[in-house]
Amino acid sequence: MGVFATRSPFRPNPIAMSAVKLEKIDFDCPNAPVLVVSGADIMDNTPILDIKPYLAYVDSYPDALSGFALAEKEGKLQVEIPEQLLKIIPEEKREGLIDILKQDPRPAYQEDPERVYVMTFGEFEVSFKVDSDLLTVTKIEKK
């Protein structure tokens, strides 16, 4: 995953992250469009390299608005992991994996019950299918 695709503070470069308020979009200035932001912990004229929408269920400002980004999904999925696959995951990490899977890690626009999705969980690749409210893990492999 690219450095700009993640919200992680653990980055392989000195690029920092700031949560800011979008005050306005100026379409009339010579370099339009220009985003006018406030609340940044940066110096004047520091370039902003990437912009992500605010997600209230991920970011830490509960009163902020998410704008055009998707709202948090209602409810959680039921997770089914066959015992032989669950044994591959260290016991102290199993609850974390299940909690992540319950939140439905599929792209928001995907709902094909036959599609196999793959996500990375630490040093493991976890494959799964989702049919209605049931997520079933089909494979776990160490990378």
Side-chain angles (χ1 to χ4, degrees):
M1 182 172 291
V3 70
F4 292 128
T6 178
R7 292 170 179 263
S8 173
F10 305 105
R11 294 171 172 250
N13 56 40
I15 296 173
M17 293 188 307
S18 295
V20 299
K21 180 179 180 183
L22 178 62
E23 296 289 345
K24 71 176 185 173
I25 303 174
D26 186 347
F27 292 101
D28 299 322
C29 71
N31 295 321
V34 171
L35 303 179
V36 178
V37 299
S38 65
D41 55 350
I42 58 178
M43 299 297 292
D44 287 349
N45 298 316
T46 298
I48 296 176
L49 303 176
D50 184 45
I51 299 170
K52 293 193 176 7
Y54 180 83
L55 301 175
Y57 62 92
V58 175
D59 299 314
S60 62
Y61 300 95
D63 295 333
L65 302 174
S66 298
F68 67 87
L70 299 173
E72 182 177 12
K73 293 180 180 179
E74 292 292 322
K76 303 231 184 244
L77 295 176
Q78 181 182 352
V79 175
E80 192 173 90
I81 306 175
E83 190 63 34
Q84 72 272 18
L85 294 178
L86 191 58
K87 288 180 181 179
I88 296 170
I89 302 293
E91 191 171 340
E92 69 275 7
K93 296 182 179 181
R94 293 176 188 167
E95 185 178 345
L97 172 61
I98 292 168
D99 286 346
I100 289 169
L101 293 172
K102 283 181 181 179
Q103 295 178 46
D104 194 354
R106 296 176 296 172
Y109 55 87
Q110 294 287 337
E111 292 191 17
D112 180 358
E114 296 304 312
R115 181 171 176 166
V116 175
Y117 301 91
V118 180
M119 69 169 227
T120 300
F121 180 74
E123 65 215 54
F124 301 96
E125 289 208 343
V126 180
S127 301
F128 61 93
K129 288 184 172 187
V130 179
D131 189 1
S132 189
D133 291 333
L134 176 64
L135 182 148
T136 304
V137 174
T138 58
K139 183 170 36 171
I140 298 177
E141 293 182 322
K142 196 165 187 173
K143 295 193 290 182

